Amino acid sequence: MKRLVISTGGGDAPGLNAVIYAVVKAAYARGWEVYGSRGGYRGLLDPDELTRLTPEKVEGITPIGGTILGSTNKGNPFAMPVENLAGEIQIRDVSDRVMKNFRRMGFTCHVAVGGDGSLEIAHRFATEKGMPVIGVPKTIDNDLLATQLTFGFDTAVSTATNAIDRLHSTAKSHDRVMVVEVMGRESGWIALNSGISGGADVILLPEIPFDLDKVCDKIADNELHDKHYAIVVVAEGAKAKDHEVICKDNQGEIGRQEVLLGGIGEWVAQEVRKRTEKDTRSLVLGHLQRGGSPTTFDRLLALRFGAAAVRLIEAGKFNHMVALAGDGAMAAVPLEEAIKERKHVPLDCDKILTAREIGICLGD
Ligand code: F6P
C-alpha cells in the first residue's frame, strides 16, 4: 500500500482541484492513501495541517477554481520566514523538518503541483534530501518549456479575451485608447493569445521591448482609417526599450519568491496620453485571470496530469514531471530538465506572424 502526499504551491490556477481529484481517485482505485498538505509545505511542517483526502472528500471539486489545499508563494522550506522568540522574522532552512515528517508519516511520494518556483523546490528535495517526488506543472502564464501547455492558461486567456471584447464598445463610444494589463511575467502568452482573439490594435510582450513611437503610430493610423479608438494589451512583464520592468513595492511580504510586477499598463496609458493627446484609460485584469471555474480544456488537462502522476508513481518513476507532449500524449520529463528553461514566445512563431499579418502592432 502506498501513501501519497499532495501539495499545491505558488500562485493558484484554475484546474488545481481537478489534479487533486484525479490523484485521489486514481490512488484509491489502487488501494493507496492520499494526504493533502495545506498551504504548500505547511502540512509537512505541522501535521495539524495535513488532511486525509478520500474520494468522498474530493467529490465535486473538479469545476471549482482555486485549491482546496490552499497555496502560498512564501513557503520555500529551504528559505522559510520563521518568527523567533523576540517576534522577529528570520529566514531559516526547515527542509530537514519536512523530511522528518515525510518519513514519520510513511509517505511513498510527494506530488508537488506548482510552477517553476515550486518545481525547483521539489527538485531540491528530490536531489538533496532523497524525497521521491512527482511534479505536476501549473501556471496561468504557460511559461514552462517542458510541457506544451499548463492548465489554468486556457481559462486565463478566455477571461482576458472576454474582458477585451467588452472594452471595444466603451472605447468606441468615447474615442478612447484603453490599455489592458494582463498577467505574464516573462512570457507574453496570455497577452498574445487574448490580444489576437480579442481584436487588439497593439500587443506588448516581455519578449519584444517596445517603442512607444510605434505604439502611437498605430493609434494615429487607426485615426487615418476612421477608427477613433484603440485597444492596447500589455503583459505585466513587458518593458519599453531602454526601460526596466515596472515592479510594485512588495508591501513587506517576507520570504516571497519573486518580485511583484504591475504598473506597466498605467505607464503606457500616461505616455500615450502625453504623446497623442488621446483620452486614455488603463485597467489591470490581475487576479481575475486566476479565478473562477476552469474551462473544459483546463479541467481535462488537469485530470489527465493527475492520473498520469499516479501512473508514474506506480511505475516507480520518481523525480519526473508529467507533461503534455507535442503529439498530445502524456509524457514524463526529468524534473532537472523541466526546471531548466522558461518557455518564451518565439518571435518567428505562427501567432506572431498572424498578429503582424492582421495589422496588430507589437511595439517594434
Ligand atoms: O506566475 C503566475 C502569476 O499569476 C504571475 O503572472 C503574476 O505576476 C504572479 O503570479 C502574481 O502572484 P501573486 O499571487 O503573488 O499576486
Side-chain angles (χ1 to χ4, degrees):
M1 206 265 294
K2 297 189 197 305
R3 182 178 285 173
L4 315 182
V5 60
I6 181 168
S7 69
T8 51
D12 67 347
L16 283 168
N17 284 328
V19 178
I20 297 169
Y21 179 88
V23 167
V24 170
K25 294 287 272 196
Y28 271 77
R30 288 164 169 83
W32 307 350
E33 276 183 347
V34 183
Y35 281 75
S37 171
R38 291 202 190 94
Y41 284 84
R42 215 165 64 220
L44 282 164
L45 285 165
D46 172 2
D48 285 347
E49 298 284 356
L50 273 179
T51 176
R52 194 153 172 247
L53 296 172
T54 59
E56 294 73 37
K57 278 215 181 137
V58 297
E59 201 50 55
I61 67 170
T62 296
I64 301 171
T67 159
I68 58 164
L69 294 175
S71 193
T72 174
N73 40 25
K74 286 171 279 193
N76 176 1
F78 292 95
M80 184 73 97
V82 180
E83 194 174 330
N84 67 14
L85 291 175
E88 296 153 348
I89 303 287
Q90 289 182 330
I91 301 294
R92 294 242 183 92
D93 180 347
V94 293
S95 56
D96 285 337
R97 217 165 94 206
V98 167
M99 281 315 293
K100 210 168 126 202
N101 287 329
F102 183 84
R103 294 203 182 98
R104 201 178 51 78
M105 284 297 296
F107 289 134
T108 319
C109 178
H110 173 206
V111 180
V113 192
D116 51 348
S118 309
L119 293 173
E120 251 172 69
I121 297 167
H123 178 245
R124 281 191 73 179
F125 270 110
T127 52
E128 295 174 26
K129 305 285 172 181
M131 178 190 278
V133 168
I134 294 294
V136 177
K138 161 255 43 161
T139 152
I140 66 160
D141 292 359
N142 192 35
D143 58 358
L144 293 173
L145 187 65
T147 180
Q148 287 292 314
L149 284 167
T150 47
F151 63 85
F153 172 64
D154 186 64
T155 309
V157 169
S158 118
T159 301
T161 305
N162 288 337
I164 297 166
D165 282 349
R166 283 169 180 270
L167 287 176
H168 281 267
S169 56
T170 174
K172 193 173 179 180
S173 306
H174 292 268
D175 289 348
R176 272 179 182 152
V177 176
M178 299 292 304
V179 183
V180 197
E181 180 179 311
V182 298
M183 282 188 170
R185 302 182 66 80
E186 292 175 34
S187 302
W189 294 107
I190 296 178
L192 187 62
N193 283 26
S194 64
I196 295 177
S197 311
D201 299 282
V202 178
I203 303 174
L204 304 174
L205 313 172
E207 289 86 348
I208 307 179
F210 60 88
D211 180 343
L212 272 165
D213 290 336
K214 297 282 160 71
V215 175
C216 295
D217 287 349
K218 174 65 189 171
I219 293 164
D221 189 61
N222 276 5
E223 298 286 336
L224 281 180
H225 290 89
D226 213 22
K227 180 175 175 184
H228 303 289
Y229 74 97
I231 308 283
V232 178
V233 177
V234 53
E236 62 184 349
K239 54 180 191 289
K241 274 183 184 160
D242 307 322
H243 282 73
E244 290 302 313
V245 167
I246 299 184
C247 302
K248 283 191 206 153
D249 175 358
N250 81 352
Q251 292 152 351
E253 283 187 56
I254 298 163
R256 192 186 160 80
Q257 286 158 43
E258 51 195 13
V259 292
L260 256 184
L261 299 185
I264 184 72
E266 179 51 24
W267 187 81
V268 168
Q270 280 175 18
E271 292 299 317
V272 167
R273 190 179 302 127
K274 276 189 228 158
R275 290 160 192 248
T276 65
E277 291 176 0
K278 288 268 323 158
D279 203 11
T280 66
R281 294 286 188 274
S282 73
L283 73 152
V284 181
L285 286 191
H287 296 81
L288 278 177
Q289 295 158 98
R290 295 226 306 244
S293 181
T295 58
T296 308
F297 183 90
D298 280 341
R299 286 181 207 189
L300 192 53
L301 183 59
L303 291 166
R304 292 176 70 201
F305 276 164
V310 173
R311 288 199 295 274
L312 285 186
I313 298 166
E314 188 169 44
K317 202 167 173 179
F318 298 116
N319 309 338
H320 281 69
M321 182 189 86
V322 293
L324 181 69
D327 62 0
M330 285 289 110
V333 183
L335 264 182
E336 197 179 342
E337 293 295 314
I339 58 171
K340 253 190 205 153
E341 267 183 272
R342 299 286 84 82
K343 179 168 59 199
H344 298 292
V345 176
L347 299 187
D348 57 354
C349 73
D350 168 67
K351 286 176 187 169
I352 291 281
L353 298 181
T354 303
R356 294 193 193 282
E357 277 163 5
I358 62 177
I360 298 173
C361 165
L362 298 176
D364 57 349

